[in-house]
Each structure stands twice: as structure tokens, then as C-alpha cells.
Amino acid sequence: MEKRVLFRSQWLPWALLLPQLVIISAFFFLPAGQALLQSLQTEDAFGMSREWVGLENFQRIFNDAGYLASFKTTALFSVLVAASGICLALMLPIFADRIVRGAMHYKTLLILPYAVAPAIAGVLWVFIFSPSIGVATWYLSKWGLTWNHLMNENQAMALIV
């Protein structure tokens, strides 16, 4: 037997949806519309005057080699983060289900990132991969690899991913 909620009045479903619609409109649609409008205008540095330029801004950025390079870097970063995150998120539960010996410890380690504040985890990663005092940097130097994410943009991208 299927259970359904039946509203006897016409206005009650809309009244229940109204707060969410107001929040979505105020924090998503309004800023998105404002950003779209501002992308078609040019403004001076102090915000005192605006001029309508239409699609000229888009034409300028798509002809800029620097912008296209940064767009490619951003796209690569997004794909790598999404792919590695999805693969890891799919593999870890499979391993957690198949481990018999030490399963409770492994499952506890899976939950551990939720217990540690992300800011603290970020600071720890900065110390681990620090070019001067990092533990990971020391081990990599023992293997003959020079790690300095401050000087090598590819290493910085790998660290962020």
C-alpha cells in the first residue's frame, strides 16, 4: 500500500515551500542575476561609474592566452579532484567491507577525517609537506626526489589534489 500526503487546502503546500523558495531566491538567483548583469558591464576601480559593454568582456577573456591557460589548469584540477575523490570514496567502503582482521580499526580510520577539524588537518598537511621541516619532504629527499611545492607549480598542484 502506497502512503501519500494529501493536503486539503490549496495554500498549505505553497506556504511550506515559501521559506525555501525565498532563501534560494535571495542567496542563489539574485546573486547569479547580479553577476550576469555585471559581466555585461565595465566599472571603474572605485565603483563610481558603469558602462554597458555587452559581450565585449567575454570576447576579451576568451582571446586572452593567460585566461585560457588558467581555465585549463582549473579544469584539470577539477577533474583530478572529482575523479580521485570518487574513486577513493568508492574503494574505501569496498575495502572496509572485505577486511576481516582489524576491521574495527580500519572503519575507525575511515571516520577519522570527520572528527578532525578541516583547518587543523590543513595545517598538519602544510607541516608534513613543508620544504624545510616536512616529514614527507625528508623521506622524498632520501629517495632522491626534491620536493618544494613553493617553487614547482606541478608539485603544488599534486599537493592540492
Side-chain angles (χ1 to χ4, degrees):
M1 185 166 106
E2 186 178 337
K3 291 185 178 183
R4 287 186 164 190
V5 176
L6 298 174
F7 294 103
R8 300 198 193 297
S9 66
Q10 293 287 328
W11 61 269
L12 183 58
W14 295 106
L16 294 173
L17 282 174
L18 185 65
Q20 186 65 37
L21 292 174
V22 168
I23 289 171
I24 289 173
S25 297
F27 292 106
F28 180 74
F29 290 120
L30 186 65
Q34 185 177 8
L36 182 62
L37 177 67
Q38 288 177 340
S39 72
L40 301 172
Q41 299 172 343
T42 186
E43 191 169 338
D44 71 341
F46 299 105
M48 302 303 279
S49 66
R50 290 187 188 129
E51 180 183 344
W52 181 264
V53 293
L55 297 175
E56 184 181 319
N57 288 336
F58 292 102
Q59 183 181 11
R60 189 176 328 132
I61 64 168
F62 286 121
N63 289 329
D64 183 14
Y67 175 78
L68 293 176
S70 68
F71 183 80
K72 287 177 186 174
T73 302
T74 303
L76 175 67
F77 173 76
S78 300
V79 167
L80 289 175
V81 166
S84 63
I86 289 171
C87 290
L88 193 62
L90 291 174
M91 285 179 8
L92 289 177
I94 291 171
F95 293 147
D97 189 44
R98 293 187 179 183
I99 290 180
V100 177
R101 188 178 180 135
M104 288 305 292
H105 296 291
Y106 184 75
K107 290 176 183 176
T108 302
L109 288 174
L110 282 177
I111 301 171
L112 193 61
Y114 295 105
V116 178
I120 294 172
V123 169
L124 289 175
W125 280 109
V126 167
F127 279 119
I128 289 171
F129 284 100
S130 172
S132 57
I133 61 170
V135 175
T137 306
W138 184 78
Y139 279 114
L140 289 172
S141 68
K142 292 291 183 191
W143 292 338
L145 297 171
T146 303
W147 177 271
N148 190 347
H149 63 277
L150 301 174
M151 301 299 284
N152 187 337
E153 62 189 30
N154 292 329
Q155 290 177 349
M157 174 76 100
L159 181 62
I160 291 171
V161 171

